[in-house]
Every structure is written in C-alpha cells, then in structure tokens.
Amino acid sequence: MSRILKNKELVNTRLATNYGGWMYCDKCNENLGYLCYSTYDKLELKYKCNCGSQGSALLDFEDSKKGSDCSDELITIKNRFCCPKDKEPLITILDKKVASYEISITCKSCGRIYKKVK
C-alpha cells in the first residue's frame, strides 16, 4: 500500500524511490545505506559523507502518528538497525561510507522514536 508523504526534505541526498530504498550522496553518488519502505513513520537523518558533503533527510507521512520518545537502543540484525520491540528493520547506514550521522526514526508498529549518533 502506497503512503502519502507529508514532508520530504532532502539536502545533498537522493533516494532510489519516493520514500525508501537506497540512499545516495548527491555530491559523490556513493550509496549511504538503505531506508526500509514500510516500517518507519518518520525519519530525521543528518550525516557527513566521507567526501565532505553534509546531507540530511526529513520524511514523514499524512498518516504518521506522533511518536513517543524512548531511551531504548536500536538493535543491529545483519547490518540493519531494527526496532528492539518487534525486530523489524528500519534503516541501514553504511558506516564505511559516512564520517558521522544522527538518526531519529519512528517505528511504525510500536510508535517509539529511536535515536542513534555516530
């Protein structure tokens, strides 16, 4: 089922599709990671690519619910950051392609907002 984007703000970043799939740096075209289509409600990502470019992404949907802050850590399963509650994959960041990043991502199923900084 297709979702309707409410906000889509990409800076120096492009996605393979409208609101998910592979993520790329606009400056060097390197693959930065993968955003799962159906498991997140809101994404706020800021990063510095190894090429020096600083990029960001803000995505949420018309039907997104307000998430609730939590102190739980995302878990890693096969290089994917996943919700610790239901083990659903949310996003993959290729550490060797980015110098640093900050993620705030809301899990669609449990409504928790997970944060990660490198």
Side-chain angles (χ1 to χ4, degrees):
M1 179 171 104
S2 182
R3 298 179 78 190
I4 299 168
L5 280 167
K6 181 168 78 176
N7 294 300
K8 180 178 183 181
E9 298 171 17
L10 302 176
V11 176
N12 297 327
T13 306
R14 81 177 189 288
L15 295 171
T17 63
N18 194 28
Y19 56 83
W22 295 106
M23 300 180 294
Y24 299 92
C25 171
D26 266 349
K27 183 176 179 186
C28 68
N29 288 319
E30 280 291 335
N31 181 346
L32 305 170
Y34 187 85
L35 178 59
C36 299
Y37 294 90
S38 60
T39 57
Y40 78 96
D41 240 2
K42 182 177 183 179
L43 169 72
E44 293 178 78
L45 169 67
K46 294 179 184 175
Y47 67 89
K48 182 174 182 182
C49 182
N50 285 340
C51 75
S53 177
Q54 293 193 13
S56 64
L58 169 64
L59 299 158
D60 68 349
F61 303 93
E62 292 289 335
D63 63 347
S64 291
K65 295 174 181 61
K66 184 172 168 46
S68 59
D69 287 331
C70 74
S71 59
D72 296 342
E73 297 280 327
L74 289 166
I75 60 172
T76 305
I77 301 173
K78 295 183 181 179
N79 86 339
R80 298 177 190 117
F81 292 130
C82 301
C83 173
K85 190 167 182 172
D86 62 12
K87 313 287 190 281
E88 287 290 329
L90 297 169
I91 191 170
T92 300
I93 298 292
L94 301 174
D95 278 342
K96 61 186 174 189
K97 303 289 179 93
V98 294
S100 61
Y101 60 83
E102 290 181 37
I103 300 169
S104 175
I105 192 164
T106 306
C107 177
K108 185 177 176 189
S109 70
C110 75
R112 291 180 178 175
I113 302 168
Y114 297 101
K115 297 181 185 216
K116 182 138 184 94
V117 176
K118 173 195 169 218

